[in-house]
Amino acid sequence: LLCLFLAITSLRAEIKLPAIFSDGMVLQQQQLVRVWGTAEAGEEVKVAFADQAHSIVTDPSGKWSITLNPMNANATPADLVVAGKNSITIKNVLVGEVWVCSGQSNMQWTVKQAGNADAEIAAAKHPQIRMFNVERIPNMAPQADCKGAWKEGTAANVGDFSAVGYF
C-alpha cells in the first residue's frame, strides 16, 4: 500500500515555469506581459504581481497562460507569485526595459574581455541592470524551455555579461 500511495502522489503535476521566470527577472514596462507554464490539467492557476491578480484554468494538456496588464517602470523589486496546488514565489522582480541581445560572436564578447575590464568590473554597482544568459544547447527543433539564470549588474557578475549588451 505504501508503494501505491507514493506512486499516486508522485503523479500529481505541480505548477512549473520556464527558466526565464526566475528570481531577479525584469518584466517589460508599458506592454502586456505574458506569464505561462504547466500544471495539472484542469487546475486553477493564479498569478499575482504588484496590484494585479489573475487566474485561469489549465487546458487538457496542463498548459496555461495569463497576461498581466501594462505597468510603469519600477525600480523597487517585488515578488511575483504563481499559485495552484503548489506555489512559486519569484523574488526581486523589476519592471523596466527588456532588450533582447542576439547575434554571434559580437554578443558573446564579455565585459571581462573588454578594454579596461578590471576597472569596469570593479565599478559595476548596477543591480537594476540584469542579464539572462541562455545556455547554448544546439537543437534542430524549437524548445519549450531553456537553461539560464538572471544575474544583477554587480562586480560579482558583470564580468560574464555581454559587453555589447552591458555598455
Side-chain angles (χ1 to χ4, degrees):
L1 284 173
L2 180 60
C3 289
L4 180 60
F5 175 75
L6 291 174
I8 290 171
T9 57
S10 69
L11 293 176
R12 189 182 110 182
E14 293 189 343
I15 292 174
K16 292 186 180 163
L17 300 170
I20 195 82
F21 295 105
S22 54
D23 291 349
M25 73 180 297
V26 179
L27 301 175
Q28 178 62 47
Q29 71 165 331
Q30 300 177 356
Q31 298 291 321
L32 295 171
V33 175
R34 188 171 158 251
V35 180
W36 69 93
T38 59
E40 187 173 320
E43 180 176 348
E44 182 180 20
V45 176
K46 298 175 184 175
V47 174
F49 182 71
D51 61 350
Q52 298 187 49
H54 303 272
S55 66
I56 195 165
V57 174
T58 63
D59 70 16
S61 68
K63 294 180 180 177
W64 59 270
S65 174
I66 289 176
T67 302
L68 299 174
N69 298 321
M71 299 167 276
N72 291 324
N74 190 338
T76 304
D79 291 347
L80 186 147
V81 178
V82 181
K85 291 181 180 173
N86 65 308
S87 182
I88 298 172
T89 300
I90 302 169
K91 299 181 182 310
N92 192 19
V93 179
L94 294 177
V95 177
E97 286 299 310
V98 177
W99 297 355
V100 176
C101 299
S102 178
Q104 294 182 16
S105 59
N106 58 336
M107 289 300 159
Q108 294 172 359
W109 178 53
T110 62
V111 171
K112 66 185 171 193
Q113 295 170 308
N116 205 20
D118 291 340
E120 293 291 349
I121 292 168
K125 295 178 180 84
H126 310 288
Q128 293 173 338
I129 296 176
R130 281 109 188 256
M131 184 180 83
F132 184 89
N133 191 23
V134 177
E135 286 186 32
R136 291 183 292 157
I137 303 172
N139 196 309
M140 295 301 291
Q143 301 298 296
D145 200 359
C146 64
K147 290 185 178 183
W150 287 93
K151 302 282 184 179
E152 292 184 355
T154 63
N157 301 321
V158 81
D160 292 324
F161 276 33
S162 164
V164 174
Y166 180 74
F167 292 118

